Amino acid sequence: MEPDKLHFGGGATSTVLHPLVAVAMILAIILILCLPRKYVMVPALLAIFLIPKGQQIVLLGVHFNAYRVMILAGLARMAMSGRSASLAGGFNFMDRICTTFFLCFFVTNSLLYRLQSQALVKNTGDLLDALGGYFVIRFLIRDREDIKRTIKTFAAVAIVNAACMLNEQRTGQNIFGLLGGVAEESVRDGKIRSQGSFEIFLTAGAFGATIVPLLIWLWTEGKSKIISAVGIIAATIMAVTCYASTTLVGCAAGVGALCLWPIRKHMRPVRWGVVAVLVGLHLVMHGPVWSIVEHIDLTGSSSSYHRYILIDSFVHHFGDWWLLGTRDNASWGYFTWDLSNQFVAVAFTGGLLAFVLFVTIITKAFSKIGITRKLAEGNPSEEWFLWCLGAALFSHIVGFFGVNYMDQIQYAWFALLAFISVAVFEVNGQVVPEVREEEPSYEVYAKADDWVKS
């Protein structure tokens, strides 16, 4: 049965704000507005990730959860910064695609609900969360030191959540649940699914799984070994204690991608080989190739069949959702109201155009990482950094097949996109300014080699 809180007008009807959370939010706002720009990311991310989404202020029916308040504070800081609020590398390829995607999603979903007032209010809030949050993070992350500082903050978030999630496994009590706004316990099939400060256990595990490659890179840098090593352990604990196959597979995907580093110059045959295998399986299997998802159960209590049905509905009901999305998906199969698949969620709520733009963000990110890594050939440290970004990106993609990024996890995704923008700018913008969107030529490689040797 679809929960009432998922309907427009559902959810909390009054303010839910613990006194400790109120103090933490006020302190975070002051720090965001007053600290030097390079340190603002720390209090902003700590507040966004450690304050449950359910902790919120309700004004005239409008919900202001913790991360929405932090985003507003971040936008105020950007306005106060004036000209210094420019983005690293300017308004780039990723900014254009993401802006178009967020605006497209707002328009199509509003039209889907025929411009109902409650839908417009909700979609405006979502647009603020996404577009505002993305650009606040882009504003705060400008160079490699900002990236390191952000990953260290992620490590701190993982350490706090891992301790609380282990305690959930021991006692069945979610410490964050005592504050209100998040469940005090999450149990399914007799197994405790720890969720920490996140809205659901899946997003908690996805956060841990997707930051592992970034923490491994930070550890290899050699200057932050303690926090990165503890962070790796904590992130792994988050991925395991949420007790979900999706997060375990996502974590393994990220680490597995890192293990392909020795054959990084021969990945084209690997990619085409994967495509050939999937096509071959589709031809010989009794069911469609995406039915493989149905058989992935690493915990003994995974809803793999539900994930399969979501993808199957996506394929077979194309004519129902392609224009503006759909409001009828709940009747299409087993639990299809629960859009625990980011690709399907975007398609069913935003239509084909939003889906294509979302996929374009992913493909462009991979493309930019690949081209930039080739430009950095001869500089193993730079290549390794880009490879770790690609591994983290791959971990997110795998996670998308079983998780809907419905809470603060979306800001870990935005941070990764910001990391990619900075990395591309540092190499393309500073090493070889004349590089363009096309594949680098031999002459461009020569110029890059000359630069790295110098």
Side-chain angles (χ1 to χ4, degrees), residues 119-132:
L120 286 173
V121 171
K122 196 267 184 184
N123 288 336
T124 301
D126 289 344
L127 181 63
L128 171 63
D129 296 343
L131 189 60

Side-chain angles (χ1 to χ4, degrees), residues 71-291:
I71 290 167
L72 289 171
L75 292 173
R77 177 58 187 267
M78 288 180 65
M80 291 165 54
S81 301
R83 292 184 178 180
S84 62
S86 59
L87 308 176
F91 192 76
N92 67 12
F93 65 98
M94 192 62 71
D95 303 328
R96 292 191 292 271
I97 300 173
C98 287
T99 300
T100 305
F101 168 67
F102 298 141
L103 292 175
C104 170
F105 192 90
F106 170 80
V107 172
T108 54
N109 195 258
S110 296
L111 291 175
L112 175 64
Y113 285 89
R114 301 177 183 178
L115 303 178
Q116 296 177 19
S117 59
Q118 289 182 327
L120 286 173
V121 171
K122 196 267 184 184
N123 288 336
T124 301
D126 289 344
L127 181 63
L128 171 63
D129 296 343
L131 189 60
Y134 173 83
F135 279 105
V136 166
I137 290 175
R138 274 282 282 132
F139 159 66
L140 294 176
I141 301 175
R142 299 191 186 184
D143 54 34
R144 193 64 55 88
E145 289 304 313
D146 289 336
I147 292 176
K148 292 179 181 178
R149 195 173 295 110
T150 301
I151 297 175
K152 291 177 185 177
T153 306
F154 283 160
V157 171
I159 291 169
V160 173
N161 269 286
C164 294
M165 291 169 75
L166 281 175
N167 182 69
E168 282 185 70
Q169 291 294 317
R170 186 179 67 86
T171 66
Q173 174 71 58
N174 183 358
I175 293 177
F176 289 98
L178 299 176
L179 299 174
V182 66
E184 293 191 25
E185 64 176 14
S186 177
V187 180
R188 192 168 79 186
D189 296 332
K191 296 180 174 64
I192 296 174
R193 299 197 161 198
S194 303
Q195 64 186 82
S197 61
F198 292 77
E199 189 168 20
I200 59 173
F201 60 89
L202 283 170
T203 52
F207 174 80
T210 54
I211 66 172
V212 168
L214 301 175
L215 290 167
I216 290 175
W217 169 76
L218 186 64
W219 183 82
T220 59
E221 284 290 284
K223 296 181 180 180
S224 307
K225 282 189 175 293
I226 295 179
I227 190 171
S228 55
V230 177
I232 292 169
I233 295 172
T236 305
I237 288 173
M238 290 183 69
V240 172
T241 56
C242 76
Y243 226 87
S245 295
T246 297
T247 60
L248 294 175
V249 174
C251 187
V255 175
L258 293 178
C259 294
L260 296 177
W261 166 253
I263 61 171
R264 60 191 179 279
K265 296 182 180 180
H266 309 285
M267 288 302 297
R268 185 181 293 272
V270 174
R271 292 193 296 268
W272 282 108
V274 171
V275 172
V277 168
L278 291 176
V279 172
L281 287 174
H282 189 72
L283 294 176
V284 301
M285 288 174 57
H286 292 295
V289 69
W290 52 88
S291 64

Side-chain angles (χ1 to χ4, degrees), residues 162-426:
C164 294
M165 291 169 75
L166 281 175
N167 182 69
E168 282 185 70
Q169 291 294 317
R170 186 179 67 86
T171 66
Q173 174 71 58
N174 183 358
I175 293 177
F176 289 98
L178 299 176
L179 299 174
V182 66
E184 293 191 25
E185 64 176 14
S186 177
V187 180
R188 192 168 79 186
D189 296 332
K191 296 180 174 64
I192 296 174
R193 299 197 161 198
S194 303
Q195 64 186 82
S197 61
F198 292 77
E199 189 168 20
I200 59 173
F201 60 89
L202 283 170
T203 52
F207 174 80
T210 54
I211 66 172
V212 168
L214 301 175
L215 290 167
I216 290 175
W217 169 76
L218 186 64
W219 183 82
T220 59
E221 284 290 284
K223 296 181 180 180
S224 307
K225 282 189 175 293
I226 295 179
I227 190 171
S228 55
V230 177
I232 292 169
I233 295 172
T236 305
I237 288 173
M238 290 183 69
V240 172
T241 56
C242 76
Y243 226 87
S245 295
T246 297
T247 60
L248 294 175
V249 174
C251 187
V255 175
L258 293 178
C259 294
L260 296 177
W261 166 253
I263 61 171
R264 60 191 179 279
K265 296 182 180 180
H266 309 285
M267 288 302 297
R268 185 181 293 272
V270 174
R271 292 193 296 268
W272 282 108
V274 171
V275 172
V277 168
L278 291 176
V279 172
L281 287 174
H282 189 72
L283 294 176
V284 301
M285 288 174 57
H286 292 295
V289 69
W290 52 88
S291 64
I292 293 174
V293 175
E294 182 182 1
H295 304 287
I296 300 176
D297 186 356
L298 304 181
T299 65
S301 61
S302 296
S303 53
S304 306
Y305 179 71
H306 168 236
R307 301 306 191 277
Y308 159 64
I309 291 297
L310 283 176
I311 300 174
D312 206 52
S313 298
F314 168 85
V315 174
H316 290 101
H317 288 272
F318 176 82
D320 297 303
W321 62 260
W322 74 271
L323 183 58
L324 296 174
T326 180
R327 300 167 62 176
D328 302 323
N329 54 284
S331 63
W332 290 349
Y334 173 73
F335 253 54
T336 47
W337 60 264
D338 183 6
L339 300 181
S340 296
N341 180 310
Q342 186 67 16
F343 296 105
V344 174
V346 169
F348 283 6
T349 55
L352 181 60
L353 181 56
F355 175 77
V356 170
L357 288 169
F358 181 66
V359 173
T360 301
I361 292 172
I362 296 170
T363 56
K364 201 66 173 178
F366 271 123
S367 173
K368 285 293 183 178
I369 289 174
I371 292 174
T372 306
R373 187 197 63 78
K374 291 177 181 178
L375 286 172
E377 284 183 356
N379 187 339
S381 176
E382 196 70 21
E383 280 193 86
W384 173 241
F385 170 58
L386 291 161
W387 192 264
C388 289
L389 291 182
L393 180 59
F394 182 60
S395 181
H396 275 284
I397 306 314
V398 172
F400 285 160
F401 283 95
V403 184
N404 180 2
Y405 280 25
M406 57 190 293
D407 58 15
Q408 54 264 59
I409 182 64
Q410 63 184 311
Y411 300 106
W413 169 242
F414 295 160
L416 178 60
L417 297 181
F419 294 168
I420 295 170
S421 290
V422 170
V424 170
F425 170 64
E426 287 183 341

